[in-house]
Amino acid sequence: MRSSARPLAALLAALTLTAGLFAAGAPASARTGDVAPATQASDVSLAADPYDWKNVRIDGGGFVPGIVFNRSEKNLAYARTDIGGAYRWDQAGKRWTPLLDWVDWDHWGWSGVVSLASDSADPDNVYAAVGTYTNGWDPTNGAVLRSSDRGASWKAATLPFKLGGNMPGRGMGERLAVDPNKNSVLYLGAPSGKGLWRSTDSGVTWSQVTAFPNPGNYAQDPADSSGYGSDNQGIVWVTFDERTGSAGSATKDIYVGVADKANTVYRSTDGGATWSRIAGQPTGYLAHKGVLDSANGYLYLSLSDTGGPYDGGKGRIWRYTTATGAWKDVSPVAEADTYYGFSGLTVDRQHPGTLMATAYSSWWPDTQIFRSTDSGATWTQAWDYSSYPNRTNRFTQDVSSVPWLTWGANPTPPETSPKLGWMTEALEIDPFDSNRMMYGTGATVYGTENLKNWDSGSQFKITPMVKGLEETAVNDLASPPSGAPLLSALGDIGGFRHTDLDAVPGMMFTSPNLTSTTSLDFAESSPSTVVRVGSADAAPHIGFSTDNGSNWFQGSEPSGVTGGGTVAAAADGSGFVWSPEGAGVHRTTGYGSSWSASTGIPAGATVESDRKNPKKFYGYKAGTFYVSTDGGATFAAMASSGLPTEGNVRFKAVPGAEGDVWLAGGSATGAYGLWHSADSGATFTKLSGIEQADSVGFGKAAAGASYQTLFVTAKIGGVRGVFRSTDAGTTWTRINDDAHQWGWIGASITGDPRVYGRVYLSTNGRGIMYGDAPDGTDPGTDPGTDPGNPPGDAACSVTYKVTNQWSGGFQADVTLTNTGTAALDGWKVGWTFADGQKVSQMWNATPAQDGAKVTAASISWNGKVAPGASVGFGFTGTLTGGNTVPAAFTLGDEACSTG
């Protein structure tokens, strides 16, 4: 059971991307610049119809290395993930709100969050240090993002080095910190030998603290030639002693943790001008956390012999008395009894002297959580052995809201199912509520709201506190014509049969349990037949289902298989073709009781099936397309030319039409785009006007259309996004917007064969997104007129939706639909606020406000709106009283109907 660490997947993604840097300080709510993307000449017609997007619910699924509570405002908390962005806690809904969905394709690495900081002097301010890899897998430098509206909108300061949200050591921290006395001052601990950095203008500009003496020297694996394990983990946390400053003046005493086993903690007593190693500190360990209990002047260190998050064989907890300089080992257990390191560390701000810590790397039989109420003099632990292997727990655990957290396991004691967790590096007691504690694991966020039961001798209750936080990396998606609407192939947790998109599935695929599913397929004319392949510690790497993925059985596999690769099912389920890692392409009839090698196709080729002819299969590798007409026994190379020879390439055959194939992929240094073949790959035609494309899928045809709806992730007209075509690729409509980009989305896309317009989209860390047209109508049908909402004077309709609201502010999305027969060429939407609201920042439109009257005008790239198409924009605003939704809207000087 691993976290969302997918360096290989990220490397493959990086090889297909072109990098560009945002200007430091540019606004970043939907894009990080005021300048719209350059429009390029195209012979395709391009419209906009932003969808309503939601997550297919899984709840969690990846590593949560950091949780941060604001110290001055109750219920304000944030969580960071290693590849899936940052989140803010919504107390009313008991859920997490994603904050970085605007991160675009070229800056996909900014979805990795290495640190968060919430400003206790001004709780509206929040900062995020972003960047996924410090080696060549991520082509983009890191950045510090800053927000003055709790993450509703952002500005970016690009750094002259990379950050590593998914690198070794990512559970240490927090590397980013705001001076609690002078909040214009921030510090950032950098990796890769870049040292300590400081901003004195609230994160707008950054400079290196040249006086800081030690950039760190610890690397997980110095011999790793990829640069992943060999990177210096650097400066890993910054902690202020707020007692040594006053409001408006910089804090004097600052503590910094360094990845150096001989010199792991430094201090400044003059506001960062000079620094020195603290004498007497523990050696032989790395300080994962440094937490100051300012009420009694103790600095606590959680120490491990490695940087984590997976490894760690020894650990200690030490206490430093800031007034006297005395050090004391206050570890819960003797060093000889540890087989793990300590990382998670928190103090109870309501009860000085109460602290907790985690044994983050205790994988078996479970993680351990320790608690002290006397400043570390004595400890109790979450579970003890009664008589081995039986355990006595101080807690109960209820995962009924996320039942798959049991992994379908029935382990032998002392293991239990579910577990308390693993990789438990984030641990925080709510500074306003001693009963609430949250902690992150490699798969979820757990928490309790009756923690004080621990001290009274009764059990406290642990439940998932992860709703809204979706952190899976998605490798493949399939939407059968009957049965469950969606089947998923996921990294780390295998995948699911999704019978209800808005409900958490009961269990991931089991029998076999694959740690990561790399590919899945169903038989087009017999959708109950499903196959999946993936990674596993040992054979098997393949499973079959005859009931649409409800139940599974293991298949045998060819000799030499080391990983899942890709797999295809015959249209009628009579056979399968598999291209696994470690072995060449093979075929089987039945359900994999025996396999025979396919000929005429190279090892490592991607395989797919024709969706009508059960004897026909396809393959692709390095610019050559292959076809088999005998069930995969033999393949022949096609003479088609001009296809991509490098980069990621994905292709699919259209259901119900033999030989109809679409191929997407390539690289910026070679052929790149979207190709179509109507003759089983004998010839391919490249679609003009599509500069780049990375995945393609099909959905239900529009009413009156003779061809299935196409969906692609692509770059069209100079704009990166998700696109739909209802006329076989002649015209395209962008269906996402700049606020919904999700970084790298190239792995898989598919429409729904039963619901027109619905699309399922993979992300690399934000789970599965699904989108529906905002009005839910088929463009080939007449939706009629709502008699309670008569049409306005202009041929337009406006929908206005408040998507988020907090004390003193809110966020809203607005959609303008052209209901006329002529295209709009430039537009200006107007409305009047009833409660004195003020627009703070707007994206995808230019705002103007005069008193209560507001207008939003088109910008250069979205002014043309075709008949029936829509365009969206959004904004953040301030409020002092109510937030009544505007009752009427205008286009120019004429009234629009309201949606």
Side-chain angles (χ1 to χ4, degrees), residues 534-556:
S535 305
D537 294 333
H541 294 83
I542 187 167
F544 298 93
S545 173
T546 58
D547 57 7
N548 193 241
S550 295
N551 297 280
W552 295 83
F553 55 92
Q554 300 175 170
S556 66

Side-chain angles (χ1 to χ4, degrees), residues 256 333 440 462 511 544 587 684 724 845:
V256 171
V333 296
I462 293 175
S511 300
F544 298 93
R587 67 180 289 260
F684 277 92
R724 180 193 70 207

Side-chain angles (χ1 to χ4, degrees), residues 560-593:
V561 172
T562 59
T566 57
V567 70
D572 62 357
S574 58
F576 304 87
V577 172
W578 185 15
S579 178
E581 295 176 21
V585 178
H586 284 70
R587 67 180 289 260
T588 184
T589 56
Y591 296 104
S593 57

Side-chain angles (χ1 to χ4, degrees), residues 197-284:
W197 289 68
R198 177 169 52 211
S199 171
T200 58
D201 55 9
S202 301
V204 177
T205 61
W206 292 83
S207 58
Q208 188 173 11
V209 181
T210 56
F212 194 82
N214 187 353
N217 59 18
Y218 175 80
Q220 180 191 71
D221 180 7
D224 181 3
S225 60
S226 75
Y228 180 75
S230 58
D231 188 53
N232 174 7
Q233 294 180 17
I235 312 299
V236 296
W237 53 262
V238 179
T239 296
F240 292 92
D241 187 345
E242 63 264 33
R243 303 170 303 167
T244 62
S246 58
S249 63
T251 300
K252 296 296 185 183
D253 289 7
I254 312 168
Y255 298 86
V256 171
V258 180
D260 177 346
K261 290 186 179 183
N263 312 279
T264 196
V265 60
Y266 286 76
R267 180 177 61 179
S268 173
T269 59
D270 52 13
T274 61
W275 301 84
S276 60
R277 177 188 185 275
I278 302 180
Q281 66 182 264
T283 58

